[in-house]
Amino acid sequence: GKVCGELNHAHITLATVVEMVHMARLVRDDVRDEAELRRKGATINHLRGNEAAVLLGDYLISHSYHLCSSLDSQSASRLIAHTTNTVCEGELLQIDNRNNLELSESTYLDIITRKTAVLCAACCTLGATYAGAAVPIVHALETYGLSLGIAFQIQDDILDIVGDPSTVGKTLGIDIEKGKMTLPMIHFLSTAPTEHRTLLRSLLRSKDADKAERIRNLILPSSSIQYAQDRARGLVDRARSSLALLADSEARRVLDTMAEF
């Protein structure tokens, strides 16, 4: 909003709405993933059980739309509703492809675009629109949000394999445990030596308690982590390039720094 003009009350309302939608999704994600740690604290399901967590997710979604309806225009409600539908489609597509060791990179990118990036794009679109930005600027910021969202999810998936839970702040290894194929594993299964690919397939199908650690040790010496990081870097570059239409300002510099981070 600031990069396009002045903030107003609608920006504060919409920022609250999309954060509540996002929080509802995280609460429900933690139930599905049986995660115990989120943002370096205990998850709701770990503290209070699945029933309370599901109800809290319902409450957050319901209250976010109640709050959004307070705005004079319903254009934001329609965009947020469309976005949350797309997020759910992405989550369903991911569930449908669990344990699909033949998952293609293009389908993986479709999943993460839907389940993560579209919400980032909607935030940028709403911020620009409600600041009165011209259509080309709105589209540029939508591209920024979409590119950054995809890059973020790729990096998040990398960290699920190689990250440190005390640094990342959430339960790791869930993608492997839940049969979610991510970019490093997809790349490894298409480029690694045959015996290494066979071993990864065997590990992914196994029930061994230490399989996440064994998969990490298998993938780390390969080029697959770097490949995924390079894909994320390309998307970050695209996000930063989309800011070229905007006048230099502190807000633009913050967006650029956020992309780099």
Side-chain angles (χ1 to χ4, degrees):
K2 279 186 177 181
V3 84
C4 297
E6 296 296 324
L7 296 187
N8 55 62
H9 177 72
H11 283 101
I12 307 303
T13 300
L14 289 168
T16 307
V17 167
V18 293
E19 179 63 14
M20 291 170 75
V21 168
H22 179 54
M23 286 294 293
R25 182 203 159 191
L26 295 185
V27 169
R28 288 173 173 275
D29 277 359
D30 290 339
V31 172
R32 285 197 305 274
D33 294 339
E34 302 173 82
E36 297 183 358
L37 188 68
R38 169 74 69 179
R39 294 178 177 174
K40 299 187 178 182
T43 58
I44 302 299
N45 51 296
H46 184 60
L47 286 172
R48 301 294 183 183
N50 287 344
E51 289 180 328
V54 169
L55 286 168
L56 178 60
D58 291 344
Y59 176 82
L60 287 166
I61 285 287
S62 174
H63 195 61
S64 69
Y65 282 104
H66 176 72
L67 180 60
C68 200
S69 69
S70 68
L71 295 174
D72 292 336
S73 169
Q74 293 307 302
S75 60
S77 294
R78 287 193 292 271
L79 176 59
I80 293 169
H82 175 72
T83 300
T84 51
N85 285 346
T86 304
V87 169
C88 291
E89 289 167 6
E91 296 286 3
L92 286 167
L93 185 58
Q94 184 169 65
I95 290 171
D96 191 50
N97 280 282
R98 276 186 183 174
N99 300 307
N100 176 12
L101 304 190
E102 308 307 319
L103 185 71
S104 67
E105 184 173 322
S106 62
T107 301
Y108 163 78
L109 290 170
D110 186 27
I111 290 169
I112 67 172
T113 298
R114 290 169 182 262
K115 77 168 195 167
T116 300
V118 293
L119 186 58
C120 302
C123 292
C124 294
T125 299
L126 290 167
T129 299
Y130 278 78
V135 171
I137 298 295
V138 174
H139 287 167
L141 284 163
E142 181 183 23
T143 298
Y144 170 86
L146 196 70
S147 304
L148 202 57
I150 301 170
F152 174 88
Q153 189 61 61
I154 291 173
Q155 181 65 15
D156 194 60
D157 291 344
I158 293 169
L159 290 172
D160 192 72
I161 298 173
V162 304
D164 177 355
S166 64
T167 302
V168 179
K170 66 176 183 176
T171 305
L172 299 179
I174 287 176
D175 292 339
I176 292 169
E177 293 297 330
K178 294 294 181 179
K180 300 176 185 178
M181 294 297 292
T182 56
L183 191 53
M185 291 186 282
I186 292 168
H187 181 265
F188 189 90
L189 285 175
S190 66
T191 61
T194 303
E195 63 271 22
H196 290 177
R197 282 184 264 172
T198 301
L199 177 56
L200 178 57
R201 289 175 183 276
S202 174
L203 287 170
L204 287 167
R205 293 188 178 112
S206 77
K207 303 294 183 182
D208 295 350
D210 65 342
K211 75 175 185 178
E213 183 64 22
R214 292 179 67 189
I215 288 173
R216 170 182 177 154
N217 292 336
L218 179 63
I219 291 179
L220 264 178
S222 75
S223 62
S224 295
I225 298 296
Q226 187 61 54
Y227 174 81
Q229 288 174 336
D230 289 344
R231 288 302 306 270
R233 165 55 57 190
L235 288 155
V236 168
D237 290 344
R238 186 171 76 179
R240 296 177 73 185
S241 295
S242 70
L243 301 176
L245 284 177
L246 303 164
D248 183 43
S249 66
E250 182 183 359
R252 177 185 157 173
R253 290 191 292 274
V254 168
L255 291 179
D256 190 64
T257 301
M258 184 161 62
E260 182 61 30
F261 175 79

